[in-house]
Amino acid sequence: DGYNGYVFKNGDVEDLARVLKHCIDTSQKEYDDMVMHVNEFVDAKYASDKLVSRYKEMFETVLSIDA
């Protein structure tokens, strides 16, 4: 929680309020660190070369299945 985003319990208004308060109280350094971490996460998971590779593997798997 706070490394690359925030999590709150689904349907729990008090927990959401806790997270929103924490967001408001977050220092610029904590915010900058979180932005850096979320960018690293997105680059690692969703960079176009990685997505293309995953789609290629998926299509090769699907097309190699004997129907």
Side-chain angles (χ1 to χ4, degrees), residues 5-56:
Y6 296 105
V7 177
F8 63 93
K9 294 176 191 133
N10 186 26
D12 188 335
V13 174
E14 288 80 20
D15 200 37
L16 173 59
R18 175 193 62 81
V19 169
L20 291 174
K21 182 172 180 351
H22 184 75
C23 290
I24 292 168
D25 295 339
T26 298
S27 71
Q28 187 64 46
K29 167 94 172 80
E30 289 173 309
Y31 174 79
D32 291 342
D33 287 346
M34 188 167 46
V35 167
M36 179 185 65
H37 294 140
V38 76
N39 285 333
E40 289 171 353
F41 173 80
V42 170
D43 287 345
K45 289 287 234 180
Y46 302 107
S48 60
D49 60 325
K50 291 186 178 17
L51 287 176
V52 167
S53 177
R54 282 190 220 135
Y55 278 123
K56 183 177 181 240

Side-chain angles (χ1 to χ4, degrees), residues 51-65:
L51 287 176
V52 167
S53 177
R54 282 190 220 135
Y55 278 123
K56 183 177 181 240
E57 288 175 19
M58 180 187 67
F59 285 122
E60 287 172 348
T61 300
V62 169
L63 293 174
S64 68
I65 295 173

